[in-house]
PDB file of all heavy atoms in Angstrom:
ATOM      1  N   ASN A   3     -59.644  49.586 -81.485  1.00 87.00           N
ATOM      2  CA  ASN A   3     -60.236  50.806 -81.891  1.00 87.00           C
ATOM      3  C   ASN A   3     -59.163  51.871 -81.922  1.00 87.00           C
ATOM      4  O   ASN A   3     -58.518  52.139 -80.913  1.00 87.00           O
ATOM      5  CB  ASN A   3     -61.357  51.147 -80.891  1.00 87.00           C
ATOM      6  CG  ASN A   3     -62.059  52.464 -81.157  1.00 87.00           C
ATOM      7  OD1 ASN A   3     -61.384  53.480 -81.202  1.00 87.00           O
ATOM      8  ND2 ASN A   3     -63.312  52.455 -81.334  1.00 87.00           N
ATOM      9  N   GLN A   5     -59.239  55.176 -81.772  1.00 93.00           N
ATOM     10  CA  GLN A   5     -59.344  56.225 -80.762  1.00 93.00           C
ATOM     11  C   GLN A   5     -58.892  55.757 -79.420  1.00 93.00           C
ATOM     12  O   GLN A   5     -58.242  56.497 -78.670  1.00 93.00           O
ATOM     13  CB  GLN A   5     -60.771  56.769 -80.732  1.00 93.00           C
ATOM     14  CG  GLN A   5     -61.225  57.533 -81.932  1.00 93.00           C
ATOM     15  CD  GLN A   5     -62.681  57.919 -81.914  1.00 93.00           C
ATOM     16  OE1 GLN A   5     -63.432  57.327 -81.251  1.00 93.00           O
ATOM     17  NE2 GLN A   5     -62.987  58.969 -82.619  1.00 93.00           N
ATOM     18  N   GLN A  17     -47.468  59.564 -68.558  1.00 94.00           N
ATOM     19  CA  GLN A  17     -46.882  58.800 -67.429  1.00 94.00           C
ATOM     20  C   GLN A  17     -45.300  58.776 -67.571  1.00 94.00           C
ATOM     21  O   GLN A  17     -44.573  58.934 -66.588  1.00 94.00           O
ATOM     22  CB  GLN A  17     -47.391  57.441 -67.314  1.00 94.00           C
ATOM     23  CG  GLN A  17     -48.829  57.346 -66.894  1.00 94.00           C
ATOM     24  CD  GLN A  17     -49.360  55.914 -66.900  1.00 94.00           C
ATOM     25  OE1 GLN A  17     -48.629  54.994 -66.896  1.00 94.00           O
ATOM     26  NE2 GLN A  17     -50.675  55.849 -66.834  1.00 94.00           N
ATOM     27  N   VAL A  18     -44.825  58.600 -68.794  1.00 93.00           N
ATOM     28  CA  VAL A  18     -43.380  58.527 -68.992  1.00 93.00           C
ATOM     29  C   VAL A  18     -42.793  59.934 -68.791  1.00 93.00           C
ATOM     30  O   VAL A  18     -41.735  60.075 -68.195  1.00 93.00           O
ATOM     31  CB  VAL A  18     -43.053  58.001 -70.405  1.00 93.00           C
ATOM     32  CG1 VAL A  18     -41.566  58.194 -70.741  1.00 93.00           C
ATOM     33  CG2 VAL A  18     -43.530  56.567 -70.599  1.00 93.00           C
ATOM     34  N   ARG A  26     -36.547  58.129 -66.449  1.00 91.00           N
ATOM     35  CA  ARG A  26     -37.015  58.246 -67.840  1.00 91.00           C
ATOM     36  C   ARG A  26     -35.918  57.814 -68.843  1.00 91.00           C
ATOM     37  O   ARG A  26     -36.148  57.129 -69.805  1.00 91.00           O
ATOM     38  CB  ARG A  26     -37.455  59.746 -68.158  1.00 91.00           C
ATOM     39  CG  ARG A  26     -38.153  59.849 -69.512  1.00 91.00           C
ATOM     40  CD  ARG A  26     -38.814  61.205 -69.705  1.00 91.00           C
ATOM     41  NE  ARG A  26     -37.949  62.333 -69.377  1.00 91.00           N
ATOM     42  CZ  ARG A  26     -38.114  63.203 -68.408  1.00 91.00           C
ATOM     43  NH1 ARG A  26     -39.179  63.041 -67.555  1.00 91.00           N
ATOM     44  NH2 ARG A  26     -37.341  64.208 -68.253  1.00 91.00           N
ATOM     45  N   LYS A  27     -34.681  58.195 -68.525  1.00 93.00           N
ATOM     46  CA  LYS A  27     -33.542  57.809 -69.410  1.00 93.00           C
ATOM     47  C   LYS A  27     -33.384  56.282 -69.369  1.00 93.00           C
ATOM     48  O   LYS A  27     -33.273  55.644 -70.447  1.00 93.00           O
ATOM     49  CB  LYS A  27     -32.257  58.451 -68.901  1.00 93.00           C
ATOM     50  CG  LYS A  27     -31.002  58.099 -69.703  1.00 93.00           C
ATOM     51  CD  LYS A  27     -29.785  58.793 -69.132  1.00 93.00           C
ATOM     52  CE  LYS A  27     -28.570  58.406 -69.934  1.00 93.00           C
ATOM     53  NZ  LYS A  27     -27.325  58.963 -69.383  1.00 93.00           N
ATOM     54  N   PHE A  29     -35.746  54.136 -68.646  1.00 92.00           N
ATOM     55  CA  PHE A  29     -36.917  53.614 -69.337  1.00 92.00           C
ATOM     56  C   PHE A  29     -36.728  53.558 -70.774  1.00 92.00           C
ATOM     57  O   PHE A  29     -36.983  52.532 -71.464  1.00 92.00           O
ATOM     58  CB  PHE A  29     -38.165  54.463 -68.972  1.00 92.00           C
ATOM     59  CG  PHE A  29     -39.325  54.121 -69.727  1.00 92.00           C
ATOM     60  CD1 PHE A  29     -40.211  53.099 -69.264  1.00 92.00           C
ATOM     61  CD2 PHE A  29     -39.744  54.796 -70.842  1.00 92.00           C
ATOM     62  CE1 PHE A  29     -41.360  52.733 -70.010  1.00 92.00           C
ATOM     63  CE2 PHE A  29     -40.834  54.462 -71.565  1.00 92.00           C
ATOM     64  CZ  PHE A  29     -41.682  53.391 -71.114  1.00 92.00           C
ATOM     65  N   GLN A  32     -34.305  50.840 -71.917  1.00 93.00           N
ATOM     66  CA  GLN A  32     -34.930  49.533 -71.945  1.00 93.00           C
ATOM     67  C   GLN A  32     -35.921  49.359 -73.064  1.00 93.00           C
ATOM     68  O   GLN A  32     -36.077  48.269 -73.630  1.00 93.00           O
ATOM     69  CB  GLN A  32     -35.588  49.283 -70.661  1.00 93.00           C
ATOM     70  CG  GLN A  32     -34.600  49.162 -69.438  1.00 93.00           C
ATOM     71  CD  GLN A  32     -35.328  49.007 -68.143  1.00 93.00           C
ATOM     72  OE1 GLN A  32     -36.504  49.294 -67.980  1.00 93.00           O
ATOM     73  NE2 GLN A  32     -34.618  48.620 -67.114  1.00 93.00           N
ATOM     74  N   PRO A  35     -34.804  48.849 -77.680  1.00 93.00           N
ATOM     75  CA  PRO A  35     -34.604  47.583 -78.413  1.00 93.00           C
ATOM     76  C   PRO A  35     -35.870  46.701 -78.536  1.00 93.00           C
ATOM     77  O   PRO A  35     -35.912  45.802 -79.319  1.00 93.00           O
ATOM     78  CB  PRO A  35     -33.542  46.909 -77.654  1.00 93.00           C
ATOM     79  CG  PRO A  35     -33.570  47.447 -76.295  1.00 93.00           C
ATOM     80  CD  PRO A  35     -34.087  48.863 -76.453  1.00 93.00           C
ATOM     81  N   LEU A  36     -36.922  47.030 -77.743  1.00 93.00           N
ATOM     82  CA  LEU A  36     -38.099  46.173 -77.681  1.00 93.00           C
ATOM     83  C   LEU A  36     -39.207  46.728 -78.601  1.00 93.00           C
ATOM     84  O   LEU A  36     -40.166  45.958 -78.965  1.00 93.00           O
ATOM     85  CB  LEU A  36     -38.576  46.117 -76.284  1.00 93.00           C
ATOM     86  CG  LEU A  36     -37.627  45.501 -75.255  1.00 93.00           C
ATOM     87  CD1 LEU A  36     -38.199  45.601 -73.860  1.00 93.00           C
ATOM     88  CD2 LEU A  36     -37.297  44.106 -75.588  1.00 93.00           C
ATOM     89  N   ASP A  41     -43.993  49.120 -90.232  1.00 92.00           N
ATOM     90  CA  ASP A  41     -43.587  48.846 -91.559  1.00 92.00           C
ATOM     91  C   ASP A  41     -42.868  47.450 -91.776  1.00 92.00           C
ATOM     92  O   ASP A  41     -43.118  46.797 -92.695  1.00 92.00           O
ATOM     93  CB  ASP A  41     -42.661  49.967 -92.120  1.00 92.00           C
ATOM     94  CG  ASP A  41     -43.386  51.283 -92.241  1.00 92.00           C
ATOM     95  OD1 ASP A  41     -44.667  51.290 -92.402  1.00 92.00           O
ATOM     96  OD2 ASP A  41     -42.741  52.356 -92.079  1.00 92.00           O
ATOM     97  N   CYS A  49     -44.870  40.000 -97.724  1.00 78.00           N
ATOM     98  CA  CYS A  49     -43.945  39.182 -98.549  1.00 78.00           C
ATOM     99  C   CYS A  49     -44.100  37.707 -98.219  1.00 78.00           C
ATOM    100  O   CYS A  49     -43.872  36.835 -99.066  1.00 78.00           O
ATOM    101  CB  CYS A  49     -42.515  39.593 -98.255  1.00 78.00           C
ATOM    102  SG  CYS A  49     -42.159  41.230 -98.894  1.00 78.00           S
ATOM    103  N   PHE A  50     -44.422  37.390 -97.017  1.00 70.00           N
ATOM    104  CA  PHE A  50     -44.451  35.970 -96.601  1.00 70.00           C
ATOM    105  C   PHE A  50     -45.701  35.720 -95.758  1.00 70.00           C
ATOM    106  O   PHE A  50     -45.816  35.961 -94.571  1.00 70.00           O
ATOM    107  CB  PHE A  50     -43.225  35.700 -95.673  1.00 70.00           C
ATOM    108  CG  PHE A  50     -41.903  36.072 -96.323  1.00 70.00           C
ATOM    109  CD1 PHE A  50     -41.317  37.259 -95.888  1.00 70.00           C
ATOM    110  CD2 PHE A  50     -41.330  35.325 -97.280  1.00 70.00           C
ATOM    111  CE1 PHE A  50     -40.147  37.634 -96.448  1.00 70.00           C
ATOM    112  CE2 PHE A  50     -40.128  35.753 -97.782  1.00 70.00           C
ATOM    113  CZ  PHE A  50     -39.536  36.872 -97.381  1.00 70.00           C
ATOM    114  N   LEU A  59     -42.975  39.533 -83.633  1.00 93.00           N
ATOM    115  CA  LEU A  59     -43.588  39.968 -82.356  1.00 93.00           C
ATOM    116  C   LEU A  59     -43.283  38.995 -81.235  1.00 93.00           C
ATOM    117  O   LEU A  59     -43.635  39.237 -80.104  1.00 93.00           O
ATOM    118  CB  LEU A  59     -45.052  40.153 -82.480  1.00 93.00           C
ATOM    119  CG  LEU A  59     -45.567  41.286 -83.410  1.00 93.00           C
ATOM    120  CD1 LEU A  59     -47.062  41.385 -83.396  1.00 93.00           C
ATOM    121  CD2 LEU A  59     -44.907  42.568 -83.073  1.00 93.00           C
ATOM    122  N   GLY A  60     -42.561  37.930 -81.531  1.00 92.00           N
ATOM    123  CA  GLY A  60     -42.337  36.932 -80.483  1.00 92.00           C
ATOM    124  C   GLY A  60     -43.477  36.000 -80.198  1.00 92.00           C
ATOM    125  O   GLY A  60     -43.442  35.284 -79.210  1.00 92.00           O
ATOM    126  N   LEU A  67     -48.180  27.991 -85.972  1.00 91.00           N
ATOM    127  CA  LEU A  67     -49.510  27.550 -86.481  1.00 91.00           C
ATOM    128  C   LEU A  67     -49.792  28.107 -87.875  1.00 91.00           C
ATOM    129  O   LEU A  67     -50.191  27.343 -88.755  1.00 91.00           O
ATOM    130  CB  LEU A  67     -50.639  27.975 -85.547  1.00 91.00           C
ATOM    131  CG  LEU A  67     -52.061  27.601 -85.988  1.00 91.00           C
ATOM    132  CD1 LEU A  67     -52.224  26.136 -86.008  1.00 91.00           C
ATOM    133  CD2 LEU A  67     -53.052  28.255 -85.049  1.00 91.00           C
ATOM    134  N   VAL A  71     -50.213  25.764 -91.219  1.00 91.00           N
ATOM    135  CA  VAL A  71     -51.322  25.858 -92.142  1.00 91.00           C
ATOM    136  C   VAL A  71     -50.985  26.204 -93.585  1.00 91.00           C
ATOM    137  O   VAL A  71     -51.449  25.600 -94.540  1.00 91.00           O
ATOM    138  CB  VAL A  71     -52.407  26.851 -91.558  1.00 91.00           C
ATOM    139  CG1 VAL A  71     -53.510  27.113 -92.571  1.00 91.00           C
ATOM    140  CG2 VAL A  71     -52.967  26.374 -90.236  1.00 91.00           C
ATOM    141  N   PHE A  72     -50.045  27.123 -93.702  1.00 90.00           N
ATOM    142  CA  PHE A  72     -49.554  27.512 -95.020  1.00 90.00           C
ATOM    143  C   PHE A  72     -48.894  26.347 -95.715  1.00 90.00           C
ATOM    144  O   PHE A  72     -49.204  26.064 -96.867  1.00 90.00           O
ATOM    145  CB  PHE A  72     -48.610  28.699 -94.853  1.00 90.00           C
ATOM    146  CG  PHE A  72     -48.079  29.161 -96.183  1.00 90.00           C
ATOM    147  CD1 PHE A  72     -48.790  29.946 -97.080  1.00 90.00           C
ATOM    148  CD2 PHE A  72     -46.742  28.842 -96.546  1.00 90.00           C
ATOM    149  CE1 PHE A  72     -48.243  30.373 -98.267  1.00 90.00           C
ATOM    150  CE2 PHE A  72     -46.231  29.228 -97.744  1.00 90.00           C
ATOM    151  CZ  PHE A  72     -46.983  29.998 -98.592  1.00 90.00           C
ATOM    152  N   PHE A  80     -50.573  19.426-104.303  1.00 96.00           N
ATOM    153  CA  PHE A  80     -49.924  18.388-105.114  1.00 96.00           C
ATOM    154  C   PHE A  80     -50.603  16.987-104.828  1.00 96.00           C
ATOM    155  O   PHE A  80     -49.938  15.968-105.093  1.00 96.00           O
ATOM    156  CB  PHE A  80     -48.390  18.363-104.859  1.00 96.00           C
ATOM    157  CG  PHE A  80     -47.748  19.676-105.174  1.00 96.00           C
ATOM    158  CD1 PHE A  80     -47.447  20.554-104.105  1.00 96.00           C
ATOM    159  CD2 PHE A  80     -47.501  20.035-106.457  1.00 96.00           C
ATOM    160  CE1 PHE A  80     -46.867  21.796-104.389  1.00 96.00           C
ATOM    161  CE2 PHE A  80     -46.896  21.287-106.736  1.00 96.00           C
ATOM    162  CZ  PHE A  80     -46.607  22.176-105.707  1.00 96.00           C
ATOM    163  N   ILE A  84     -56.571  19.000-103.762  1.00 96.00           N
ATOM    164  CA  ILE A  84     -56.168  20.301-104.225  1.00 96.00           C
ATOM    165  C   ILE A  84     -57.113  21.421-103.792  1.00 96.00           C
ATOM    166  O   ILE A  84     -56.741  22.489-103.414  1.00 96.00           O
ATOM    167  CB  ILE A  84     -55.882  20.341-105.740  1.00 96.00           C
ATOM    168  CG1 ILE A  84     -55.188  21.631-106.110  1.00 96.00           C
ATOM    169  CG2 ILE A  84     -57.175  20.099-106.496  1.00 96.00           C
ATOM    170  CD1 ILE A  84     -54.783  21.638-107.605  1.00 96.00           C
ATOM    171  N   VAL A  86     -58.963  21.489-101.112  1.00 96.00           N
ATOM    172  CA  VAL A  86     -58.730  21.772 -99.656  1.00 96.00           C
ATOM    173  C   VAL A  86     -57.551  22.624 -99.512  1.00 96.00           C
ATOM    174  O   VAL A  86     -57.498  23.607 -98.723  1.00 96.00           O
ATOM    175  CB  VAL A  86     -58.648  20.443 -98.880  1.00 96.00           C
ATOM    176  CG1 VAL A  86     -58.275  20.755 -97.365  1.00 96.00           C
ATOM    177  CG2 VAL A  86     -59.863  19.596 -98.945  1.00 96.00           C
ATOM    178  N   VAL A  97     -57.090  36.060 -93.739  1.00 86.00           N
ATOM    179  CA  VAL A  97     -56.759  36.417 -92.321  1.00 86.00           C
ATOM    180  C   VAL A  97     -55.527  37.298 -92.278  1.00 86.00           C
ATOM    181  O   VAL A  97     -55.535  38.340 -91.563  1.00 86.00           O
ATOM    182  CB  VAL A  97     -56.535  35.170 -91.474  1.00 86.00           C
ATOM    183  CG1 VAL A  97     -55.927  35.530 -90.123  1.00 86.00           C
ATOM    184  CG2 VAL A  97     -57.828  34.430 -91.308  1.00 86.00           C
ATOM    185  N   GLN A 106     -50.646  49.015 -88.711  1.00 93.00           N
ATOM    186  CA  GLN A 106     -50.302  50.290 -87.971  1.00 93.00           C
ATOM    187  C   GLN A 106     -50.892  50.221 -86.506  1.00 93.00           C
ATOM    188  O   GLN A 106     -50.232  50.413 -85.522  1.00 93.00           O
ATOM    189  CB  GLN A 106     -50.778  51.482 -88.689  1.00 93.00           C
ATOM    190  CG  GLN A 106     -50.410  52.814 -88.091  1.00 93.00           C
ATOM    191  CD  GLN A 106     -48.909  53.085 -88.311  1.00 93.00           C
ATOM    192  OE1 GLN A 106     -48.370  52.729 -89.353  1.00 93.00           O
ATOM    193  NE2 GLN A 106     -48.218  53.677 -87.361  1.00 93.00           N
ATOM    194  N   ILE A 107     -52.166  49.902 -86.444  1.00 94.00           N
ATOM    195  CA  ILE A 107     -52.879  49.893 -85.165  1.00 94.00           C
ATOM    196  C   ILE A 107     -52.354  48.653 -84.325  1.00 94.00           C
ATOM    197  O   ILE A 107     -52.239  48.693 -83.080  1.00 94.00           O
ATOM    198  CB  ILE A 107     -54.403  49.878 -85.237  1.00 94.00           C
ATOM    199  CG1 ILE A 107     -55.015  50.192 -83.861  1.00 94.00           C
ATOM    200  CG2 ILE A 107     -54.941  48.702 -85.907  1.00 94.00           C
ATOM    201  CD1 ILE A 107     -56.480  50.515 -83.879  1.00 94.00           C
ATOM    202  N   ILE A 117     -44.964  49.342 -73.357  1.00 95.00           N
ATOM    203  CA  ILE A 117     -44.679  50.539 -72.541  1.00 95.00           C
ATOM    204  C   ILE A 117     -45.367  50.377 -71.126  1.00 95.00           C
ATOM    205  O   ILE A 117     -44.753  50.633 -70.120  1.00 95.00           O
ATOM    206  CB  ILE A 117     -45.136  51.781 -73.199  1.00 95.00           C
ATOM    207  CG1 ILE A 117     -44.217  52.067 -74.438  1.00 95.00           C
ATOM    208  CG2 ILE A 117     -45.116  53.009 -72.244  1.00 95.00           C
ATOM    209  CD1 ILE A 117     -44.756  53.183 -75.385  1.00 95.00           C
ATOM    210  N   ARG A 118     -46.607  49.873 -71.169  1.00 95.00           N
ATOM    211  CA  ARG A 118     -47.299  49.701 -69.870  1.00 95.00           C
ATOM    212  C   ARG A 118     -46.576  48.707 -69.007  1.00 95.00           C
ATOM    213  O   ARG A 118     -46.482  48.894 -67.773  1.00 95.00           O
ATOM    214  CB  ARG A 118     -48.770  49.216 -70.145  1.00 95.00           C
ATOM    215  CG  ARG A 118     -49.496  49.037 -68.781  1.00 95.00           C
ATOM    216  CD  ARG A 118     -50.933  48.488 -68.952  1.00 95.00           C
ATOM    217  NE  ARG A 118     -51.741  49.385 -69.702  1.00 95.00           N
ATOM    218  CZ  ARG A 118     -52.283  49.125 -70.885  1.00 95.00           C
ATOM    219  NH1 ARG A 118     -52.070  47.937 -71.461  1.00 95.00           N
ATOM    220  NH2 ARG A 118     -53.026  49.906 -71.518  1.00 95.00           N
ATOM    221  N   ARG A 119     -46.145  47.622 -69.578  1.00 94.00           N
ATOM    222  CA  ARG A 119     -45.356  46.606 -68.731  1.00 94.00           C
ATOM    223  C   ARG A 119     -44.102  47.140 -68.193  1.00 94.00           C
ATOM    224  O   ARG A 119     -43.753  46.956 -67.066  1.00 94.00           O
ATOM    225  CB  ARG A 119     -45.092  45.382 -69.600  1.00 94.00           C
ATOM    226  CG  ARG A 119     -46.318  44.445 -69.817  1.00 94.00           C
ATOM    227  CD  ARG A 119     -45.965  43.152 -70.423  1.00 94.00           C
ATOM    228  NE  ARG A 119     -45.216  43.253 -71.671  1.00 94.00           N
ATOM    229  CZ  ARG A 119     -45.728  43.246 -72.842  1.00 94.00           C
ATOM    230  NH1 ARG A 119     -47.062  43.198 -72.994  1.00 94.00           N
ATOM    231  NH2 ARG A 119     -44.987  43.348 -73.950  1.00 94.00           N
TER     232      ARG A 119
END
Side-chain angles (χ1 to χ4, degrees):
N3 176 302
Q5 289 176 337
Q17 289 177 18
V18 171
R26 190 170 49 246
K27 180 180 177 183
F29 173 83
Q32 292 174 345
L36 300 174
D41 294 333
C49 295
F50 309 100
L59 295 181
L67 178 64
V71 170
F72 178 78
F80 302 100
I84 189 171
V86 175
V97 169
Q106 189 73 34
I107 191 170
I117 292 168
R118 181 182 297 113
R119 284 191 304 270

